[in-house]
Amino acid sequence: MTTPIGPVILFDDDHYMYVLRDRASAEAWWEMPDEYVRGFDALARPLRMTGEPHQVTLELAGGEPAEADLRRLVADHYRRFLPGQALPRATELSGFVAGLPVESV
């Protein structure tokens, strides 16, 4: 499988997390590729963003999941930007990802 599975979880240069429904909505919504720092698909596989302003492309950066990195970055986002809100508690990755707040775009 070479296409990212949605939702996609993206982190900007301020380490703010964005959860977008799928690759197409993320590519349509994200404006500046230089503001992108890290990203993962629903299977915790790392993503790479390429392109020009207002014309970005997301693709898999590797096939190996990085679940620990994803969970760490999500926990950091909650601690910084959503104090007092509970992190998704699911132990299974699919449940954890499903518990993340999806952007309405």
Side-chain angles (χ1 to χ4, degrees):
M1 171 113 357
T2 59
T3 302
I5 304 292
V8 296
I9 303 101
L10 308 178
F11 295 88
D12 70 11
D13 52 359
D14 291 324
H15 304 285
Y16 193 87
M17 176 182 73
Y18 302 87
V19 182
L20 297 148
R21 184 178 60 241
D22 55 28
R23 175 186 177 182
S25 60
E27 290 175 345
W29 187 75
W30 201 274
E31 295 178 354
M32 304 301 288
D34 61 337
E35 293 177 350
Y36 171 85
V37 174
R38 300 268 321 254
F40 304 87
D41 75 350
L43 301 177
R45 298 178 297 180
L47 301 174
R48 173 179 35 248
M49 183 179 286
T50 58
E52 300 295 322
H54 306 283
Q55 295 180 318
V56 301
T57 301
L58 279 175
E59 57 190 29
L60 292 174
E64 292 299 313
E67 184 175 348
D69 291 341
L70 171 61
R71 287 180 181 265
R72 180 182 49 79
L73 289 167
V74 169
D76 184 51
H77 170 81
Y78 271 74
R79 189 180 76 256
R80 287 182 179 194
F81 301 105
L82 302 172
Q85 287 194 23
L87 195 62
R89 301 229 183 262
T91 56
E92 294 290 323
L93 178 61
S94 61
F96 179 78
V97 170
L100 297 175
V102 177
E103 300 288 329
S104 56
V105 290

